[in-house]
Amino acid sequence: MPQIFHVGYRSPWVSTVAWVLMSLGLAGLALLGYWLGSGVGSGLPSLRSWLGLGLLLAMAGSSAAALVGGQGLLRRYEWARRLCLGLLACLLLASPLLLWVTGSHLVLAALCLAWSAALLWTVHTLNTRSVRQEFA
């Protein structure tokens, strides 16, 4: 079967994933700024503990990585596609923690299952041949 190349084609799905990642990164940075501005007393350990400092640094790093990865996806860089695959895989692995933190309500478990399925489908579509062709 002959190979078909779509020269100059930009799939709307990759652009949508890029914008969603950038929005999540901005939301994470805004939440980080809110927590730092309010004295971190609402829901997080204090900055004096290693856990609190580690959580804030992890949030800042993942938010910055989401912003950088989204910008790279819009420009169709291969390193950005791999970074976003890693970020989505980490988000997929971290989503069951939401159930543990909130007390695991049954409705939230069903929403988490749907969220995980959507993340798996997104990771799969970012790794398909037609999408990888855009980044070559």
Side-chain angles (χ1 to χ4, degrees):
M1 181 167 201
Q3 215 173 17
I4 299 172
F5 291 105
H6 301 285
V7 178
Y9 175 73
R10 292 183 171 266
S11 66
W13 180 248
V14 175
S15 298
T16 303
V17 169
W19 282 107
V20 167
L21 276 174
M22 287 188 297
S23 299
L24 286 174
L26 283 175
L29 288 177
L31 186 61
L32 181 69
Y34 173 73
W35 278 339
L36 287 175
S38 68
V40 193
S42 56
L44 272 181
S46 70
L47 279 176
R48 288 182 228 134
S49 71
W50 286 101
L51 179 64
L53 186 62
L55 283 174
L56 289 176
L57 288 175
M59 187 168 187
S62 61
S63 296
L67 281 170
V68 168
Q71 280 293 318
L73 269 185
L74 282 179
R75 292 180 171 89
R76 302 305 195 259
Y77 292 137
E78 177 63 24
W79 61 263
R81 187 183 70 83
R82 292 181 185 186
L83 175 67
C84 290
L85 283 173
L87 284 172
L88 290 173
C90 288
L91 187 60
L92 179 67
L93 292 174
S95 61
L97 289 176
L98 180 65
L99 298 175
W100 177 64
V101 169
T102 59
S104 71
H105 196 284
L106 187 59
V107 174
L108 189 60
L111 287 173
C112 187
L113 185 64
W115 171 255
S116 297
L119 283 176
L120 275 175
W121 184 72
T122 303
V123 167
H124 170 71
T125 52
L126 279 177
N127 211 17
T128 59
R129 186 176 176 192
S130 61
V131 168
R132 282 183 301 179
Q133 178 182 317
E134 292 180 42
F135 293 87

